[in-house]
Amino acid sequence: MNLFIDTAEVAEIREAQSWGILDGVTTNPSLVAKTGRDFESVLREICSIVDGPISAEVVSTDAPGMVEEGARLARLHRNVVVECPVTPEGLKATRSLTGRGHRVNVTLVFSAAQALLAAKAGAAFISPFVGRLDDVGHDGMDVVGQILEMLDHYTYPAEVLVASVRSPVHVIRAAQMGAHGATCPFAVLQQLVKHPLTDVGLERFLADWKKAKH
Ligand code: G3P
C-alpha cells in the first residue's frame, strides 16, 4: 500500500518524509496556488525531498497544450508524473505522453467508466476522488471497489491512487480493498498515527519510569 501526501506545502512534505512512510506526492493547481509560490520552483523542491512519484497537473485544456506542458514538467525531474484530467483531450494527451515515455496520473476520476478509459489510454495512476463523491451523496469507496474489481480482470499497468481523502477511514478502506495507494492531506496522516490510548499509555510509562530505580 503506497501512501502519498497530497499537498504542495514543503514543510508538510519534509515532516511526513521524516516519518519514513512516504512513497510519493500529489499536487494540484489549487494546492499550488495556496502556497503562493512559483510552480516550477515548488516542484523542484518537492523532488529534492521525496524520491518517489511526484504528480504535477497540467492546466491546458487541449491535448497539444497538455502534452507540451506535461513534457516540460516531466523534464524538470525524472520522478515527475504528469497529471491530466479525464476528459477526451486529457485521454488524448495521456496516450501521447505515455507514448513518449512519460508517466501520467489521470485525475478528477468520479466513475468506473472514466477509470476504464484512463487505463486504456495508458495511465500509470488513476485517481478517484472519493471525498468529493461522498460530498454529493455517493459512496466514493464504492467506486474504488468497482474500479479495482474491473482492473483485476486485465493487465493494465495503472495503479489506483485513492484521492480526495478526508479521513483515516478512507485510507483503511482503501488498504482493505487492496487499492495500490492513497494520497492524503497532512492532517489525515497526522490522524492516522494519533490514538488517545497511545498518548495516555506513554504518559503513564514515563511517570512510572520516574519512580523506578535507575
Ligand atoms: O489530489 C486530489 C485532491 O487534492 C482533491 O482533494 O479534498 O480537494 O477534494 P479535495
Side-chain angles (χ1 to χ4, degrees), residues 60-133:
S60 299
T61 51
D62 62 304
M66 288 184 201
V67 171
E68 192 194 319
E69 217 184 307
R72 196 176 61 240
L73 292 170
R75 269 198 300 276
L76 292 180
H77 195 278
R78 65 185 159 78
N79 284 343
V80 170
V81 175
V82 181
E83 256 180 324
C84 293
V86 63
T87 59
E89 292 300 299
L91 291 174
K92 286 185 215 172
T94 299
R95 169 56 66 207
S96 171
L97 286 161
T98 300
R100 293 167 190 221
H102 302 305
R103 287 179 297 169
V104 177
N105 178 355
V106 175
T107 189
L108 288 167
V109 169
F110 292 96
S111 71
Q114 290 177 319
L116 178 61
L117 298 186
K120 286 190 64 66
F125 298 94
I126 298 173
S127 292
F129 275 30
V130 296
R132 292 192 195 183
L133 277 165

Side-chain angles (χ1 to χ4, degrees), residues 6 26 28 31 129 132 163-164 166 183:
D6 190 31
T26 53
N28 64 40
L31 293 171
F129 275 30
R132 292 192 195 183
S164 184
R166 301 280 165 76
T183 184

Side-chain angles (χ1 to χ4, degrees), residues 39-211:
F39 184 26
E40 291 194 2
S41 71
V42 178
L43 194 54
R44 278 202 187 86
E45 193 171 347
I46 294 172
C47 290
S48 74
I49 302 168
V50 179
D51 186 17
I54 314 291
S55 288
E57 190 159 343
V58 296
V59 289
S60 299
T61 51
D62 62 304
M66 288 184 201
V67 171
E68 192 194 319
E69 217 184 307
R72 196 176 61 240
L73 292 170
R75 269 198 300 276
L76 292 180
H77 195 278
R78 65 185 159 78
N79 284 343
V80 170
V81 175
V82 181
E83 256 180 324
C84 293
V86 63
T87 59
E89 292 300 299
L91 291 174
K92 286 185 215 172
T94 299
R95 169 56 66 207
S96 171
L97 286 161
T98 300
R100 293 167 190 221
H102 302 305
R103 287 179 297 169
V104 177
N105 178 355
V106 175
T107 189
L108 288 167
V109 169
F110 292 96
S111 71
Q114 290 177 319
L116 178 61
L117 298 186
K120 286 190 64 66
F125 298 94
I126 298 173
S127 292
F129 275 30
V130 296
R132 292 192 195 183
L133 277 165
D134 293 354
D135 289 346
V136 296
H138 292 267
D139 183 347
M141 293 310 299
D142 273 356
V143 173
V144 173
Q146 288 169 16
I147 296 171
L148 289 170
E149 185 187 341
M150 185 176 71
L151 293 182
D152 199 38
H153 297 297
Y154 305 102
T155 54
Y156 297 110
E159 294 191 9
V160 177
L161 181 61
V162 176
S164 184
V165 162
R166 301 280 165 76
S167 77
V169 175
H170 280 145
V171 182
I172 299 312
R173 283 187 68 194
Q176 285 174 318
M177 287 177 174
H180 305 83
T183 184
C184 315
F186 183 59
V188 172
L189 292 178
Q190 287 177 307
Q191 288 171 325
L192 281 167
V193 71
K194 185 92 179 153
H195 197 289
L197 290 178
T198 304
D199 297 341
V200 169
L202 182 60
E203 213 173 287
R204 194 176 303 160
F205 281 158
L206 295 179
D208 289 344
W209 186 244
K210 278 189 189 151
K211 297 177 220 152

